[in-house]
Amino acid sequence: MQLRYQYRVYPTAGQQNLLAQVFGCVRVVYNDCLRLRQNATATDVKISDTEIQRQAITLAKQTPERAWLAEVASVALVQACQDARRAYRNWFDSLSGVRKGRRVGAPRLRSRKDNRQSIRLTRNGFTVRPNGRLFVAKVGELNVRWSRRLPSIPSSVTIIRDASNRYFASFVVEVGNEPLPPTDSDVGIDLGLTTFAVLSSGRTIDSPKFLRHAERSLRKAQQSLSRKEKGSRNRAKQRVRVAKVHASVANSRRDWAHKQSTTIIRENQAVFVEDLCVHGMARTRMAKSIHDAGWAMFTRMLQDKAARFGRHFGKVGRFYPSSQICSTCGTSDGPKPLSIREWQCKACGVVHDRDLNAAINIHAAGRAEWLNACGETVRLSA
C-alpha cells in the first residue's frame, strides 16, 4: 500500500523565491489547462490530453507572454496538466455516479492568494542526496528535518507552502502490511461531543476540544488582524500569526487522533463505528463542536491502520437506531432527544447509559455483519 511521509523543509531565502516562481508557473499552467477544456466544452470540440499539454506548455513557452515558463522545471508543469485532467475526470465521474462519496463540483481556477501552494514532482524532478538533503530541479538542495526514515524509495514528492509560510515535503512511498499479533477482543465505538468516544468495553475517551481551548489566543490574534490596514505589511504579518494558531490547533488534534486510533487498533482485532453524516451534521448549530471533534479524520485513521496492521474495520449504517434499542433485551424504545443521557427500558427495566448502550449495539451490529460475511449464520438481535 502507498502512504505519505511528510517532513518539514527549511529553504533559504533564495530558494523560497525560486519556489514561489515555480508555484506561480504551475498555477498558470493549471488555469490554462482548465480554460482550454472549458473552451473545448463550450464549442463542442474534442481535444485530447496530449494536445492540451502541448498548447499549455510547449507552445506557450514560445510566446512572449509565457516565455518565463522555461525558467522552471518542466516536470512540475507536466504534473499541473495531469492535476487539471484528474480534476475534470473526478467531476465527470461524480456526475455520472462512477465516483463514490460526496458529489465533486467543477474544478475552479487557482489563485495566487490561496492559503496553500504546492507543486508535485515525479522521480525525474527530485533526488534524495546522500547528505540528507532533497534536491529539487532548478531549485537546489533543500534542508529537510528527517523525523523518521523513509521505508522505501519515494515515487513522487509534493512541496507545500501552507498559510503560516511553513514548507513541507510530502513523499509517496510503498510500504508493506505489518500484521499485529491477533487478539480476542473487538469493540464498538460510539462517537460524541461531550465525551469523544465511548467503547463497548466501558472505556471512555474524553473530548480534548483543542479549538475551544485556543479560542482566547485565537480571538486576540483575529482582533489584532482586523485592526490592521488592508494591504499593509503589518496585516500580512498578523495574518501569518493567525494562521500559526490554527496550524497549532490542527497539529494537536491530528497528533491526538493518531495516538488514540493506534491504541484502539493495537488492542482490538475488529473495530466497528457508526457511519455518521458529518457533512450534514456540520450544517447545524453544533457545527463548531463537530468540526473541533474531528470524527471523520479519526474514523479514516482507524480504517487505514486496520488495513495496514491486519485488523478488521466495519461501519454500521447511519440509520441503524443504536440509541433506541435496549442492548439487554433488544426492544426498540423509540427516538429520544439528546438531553436524555440515561433511560430505562420499558420491557426489561434495565437502566442504560445512552452512549454505552449505543456502543454495545454498534458492536453487536458490526460483529453480526462481520461474522455473517465470514460465512457464519448470525442475525441482529433487533
Side-chain angles (χ1 to χ4, degrees), residues 327-349:
S327 59
T328 302
C329 65
T331 303
S332 179
D333 207 12
K336 304 168 185 64
L338 292 176
S339 58
I340 298 179
R341 309 313 303 172
E342 289 187 356
W343 57 281
Q344 185 176 13
C345 178
K346 298 179 181 178
C348 62

Side-chain angles (χ1 to χ4, degrees), residues 123-169:
R123 288 292 304 276
N124 55 346
F126 76 97
T127 305
V128 179
R129 295 290 174 83
N131 59 1
R133 291 181 175 266
L134 172 64
F135 174 79
V136 177
K138 293 192 176 182
V139 175
E141 294 185 350
L142 301 178
N143 183 15
V144 184
R145 297 297 174 87
W146 299 102
S147 57
R148 52 181 174 172
R149 298 184 62 181
L150 290 172
S152 62
I153 299 177
S155 59
S156 66
V157 65
T158 303
I159 307 298
I160 305 168
R161 187 189 69 191
D162 63 2
S164 58
N165 288 341
R166 299 181 304 172
Y167 291 83
F168 297 93

Side-chain angles (χ1 to χ4, degrees), residues 186-190 200 264 269-274 302 312-316 359 362-371:
D186 43 76
V187 70
I189 304 175
D190 179 66
S200 58
I264 293 175
Q269 186 67 30
V271 179
F272 310 101
V273 298
E274 189 175 6
L302 287 175
H312 176 78
F313 175 84
K315 285 187 176 182
V316 177
I362 291 173
H363 178 219
R367 182 177 175 81
E369 186 67 25
W370 176 38
L371 296 179

Side-chain angles (χ1 to χ4, degrees), residues 197-301:
V198 177
L199 280 61
S200 58
S201 59
R203 176 191 167 197
T204 60
I205 302 176
D206 295 331
S207 182
K209 300 180 180 179
F210 293 106
L211 181 60
R212 298 288 184 180
H213 294 161
E215 278 185 332
R216 179 181 177 85
S217 58
L218 185 60
R219 181 174 64 250
K220 293 176 65 176
Q222 289 175 334
Q223 286 177 348
S224 179
L225 175 65
S226 65
R227 297 189 182 103
K228 299 294 189 294
E229 183 180 354
K230 292 186 177 180
S232 64
R233 297 186 64 180
N234 285 336
R235 185 179 178 87
K237 294 178 182 178
Q238 187 61 30
R239 182 197 60 78
V240 174
R241 295 190 186 101
V242 174
K244 287 183 178 180
V245 178
H246 282 290
S248 176
V249 172
N251 291 341
S252 300
R253 184 188 298 114
R254 189 180 304 109
D255 178 73
W256 181 85
H258 268 298
K259 292 177 180 178
Q260 296 297 331
S261 59
T262 301
T263 301
I264 293 175
I265 290 297
R266 284 177 176 174
E267 295 176 351
N268 300 279
Q269 186 67 30
V271 179
F272 310 101
V273 298
E274 189 175 6
D275 186 16
L276 298 173
C277 183
V278 180
H279 178 66
M281 298 173 67
R283 300 173 65 180
T284 64
R285 60 184 178 85
M286 298 183 296
K288 191 173 187 178
S289 298
I290 290 173
H291 283 303
D292 191 17
W295 292 337
M297 177 180 61
F298 178 73
T299 55
R300 185 175 63 252
M301 289 180 181

